[in-house]
Amino acid sequence: MFKLYWSSSTGAFAPEAVLTELDVPFSRIEVDTAKGEQLQEAYLAINPRGQIPALVLLDGTVLTETAAMLLHLADAHPQAGLAAQPGEVQRALTYRWLFFAAANIYESDLRWEYCGRYTSEPAGEPGVRAAAAVQLDRSWDLINREVAGPYFFGRGFTVLDVYLAMLAGWHYDFGKLERSCPKVWALMQAVSRRPKIAPLWRVHYGHKPALQW
């Protein structure tokens, strides 16, 4: 059985959503970030970076990096059609936008939310946050141009949609996202309303009234 080390409002949402969509048995092991458990020896032995999530595969291999988890789960269950097959053009585009989002949106979200981690000078924190907001706006605009609707590639639901919905749920200004990136906003709604995912959405995003519909 898969084991998912998770905490709410983290990147654990995406692999948990995919595992749930697949009806794959897995156990959830909560890491209490309020107590700093992600930085304690027991968890660092699993993920030395102290980041959540971590996914333990069926053979005991530990997988980190959310995007990698999603691609592996899609490949391990090809019958579900959650990703195009390797070698297909849509698969190449999935790589492109997953990696783009991980490098530009995920990282910028962290810079905005935890700006103190990215400068040794407290006076520099507002500048870090402002630059992160600019990068987020540019990156989401590029994504919005590519969304076919209701999901990224049209009507077919894929792991890319889960990843983008997760990141959209972390946006620093939901009103701005809805106005400037309406197709991204609609994609997030479509993912969060899927019957199997909706309960997880409430766990991870239920504290954000703007994301309840």
Side-chain angles (χ1 to χ4, degrees), residues 3-27:
K3 291 194 295 185
L4 178 66
Y5 289 82
W6 79 289
S7 181
S8 64
S9 304
T10 69
F13 166 79
E16 185 175 9
V18 172
L19 285 163
T20 302
E21 280 279 339
L22 292 169
D23 288 322
V24 172
F26 69 100
S27 60

